[in-house]
Amino acid sequence: MLITGPARSGKSEWAENLAMQSGKSVVYVATATEDPEDQEWQERIEKHKQRRPQEWETISAPLELAAILSQTQPHTLILIDSLGTWIANFLESDDLEWEETLENFLKTVPLAQADLIFVAEETGWGLVPAYPIGRKFRDRLGNLVRRLSTICDTVYLVTGGYALNLNVLGVPLPR
């Protein structure tokens, strides 16, 4: 399952709600890296931690999502939050290295034994970023979300506090 949407739209809360309703053992995979020097970032991370049930296992995986997915168990649900942060962790990698990482990740997703929920930000709904790093991030994230949506059985867009099931409301683009 893929849950996407803009900042502060409620995508993480929707993902957490669906994970709680699953009845499965949940493993929360955090892609963010803590930074004690950035208090606002730490507050965001802490808010996410406080919302999660204590029985959920949390794994910090800023880089190795494919390795995490390859070790999943059938009785679990893996909630990965977020793909945008994961991509940001690779912004210094060149295009070839990123493509290898992306292809390895996308090949691993259908092989995972657990149920999966991915949370991804939406960018690119406005101006083209004025800086190369911003364009790189936007393009990598847009490409990943589009490709992952073809693998996931359900895709939600969360915006304005509403979750929209795109599989019901939308028409997939030709491949």
Side-chain angles (χ1 to χ4, degrees):
M1 181 180 310
L2 173 62
I3 300 171
T4 185
R8 301 288 194 214
S9 62
K11 28 181 208 307
S12 293
E13 290 96 329
W14 181 242
E16 292 160 5
N17 178 58
L18 293 173
M20 283 186 264
Q21 290 178 15
S22 74
K24 294 194 172 212
S25 174
V26 177
V27 178
Y28 183 96
V29 179
T31 60
T33 303
E34 296 199 28
D35 181 0
E37 301 294 314
D38 186 341
Q39 184 170 348
E40 189 268 337
W41 184 246
Q42 288 303 116
E43 288 170 5
R44 285 175 181 255
I45 291 172
E46 191 59 35
K47 187 180 280 187
H48 277 253
K49 286 180 180 179
Q50 289 175 1
R51 267 198 329 254
R52 294 193 296 263
Q54 289 185 339
E55 64 269 12
W56 287 8
E57 178 184 357
T58 299
I59 298 173
S60 178
L63 300 173
E64 294 299 327
L65 288 186
I68 297 290
L69 294 181
S70 68
Q71 299 171 15
T72 62
Q73 300 298 314
H75 61 282
T76 60
L77 183 142
I78 310 296
L79 194 165
I80 297 171
D81 195 357
S82 80
L83 294 176
T85 304
W86 180 63
I87 287 172
N89 296 334
F90 284 97
L91 283 177
E92 293 184 12
S93 66
D94 64 36
D95 289 341
L96 181 60
E97 182 183 351
W98 169 246
E99 280 301 317
E100 289 174 4
T101 300
L102 177 60
E103 291 303 323
N104 186 40
F105 169 72
L106 291 171
K107 280 191 258 180
T108 307
V109 170
L111 303 176
Q113 295 183 35
D115 289 346
L116 305 174
I117 297 177
F118 299 100
V119 176
E121 300 78 2
E122 283 292 335
T123 62
W125 288 27
L127 299 172
V128 174
Y131 301 97
I133 196 82
R135 291 189 298 271
K136 179 189 273 190
F137 174 78
R138 180 205 57 186
D139 292 348
R140 284 183 178 182
L141 182 58
N143 180 45
L144 171 58
V145 167
R146 185 170 181 179
R147 293 180 66 190
L148 187 58
S149 72
T150 66
I151 299 170
C152 292
D153 58 346
T154 306
V155 179
Y156 285 98
L157 171 64
V158 179
T159 187
Y162 285 84
L164 305 169
N165 185 329
L166 297 181
N167 299 84
V168 173
L169 300 172
V171 177
L173 296 174
R175 290 186 189 207

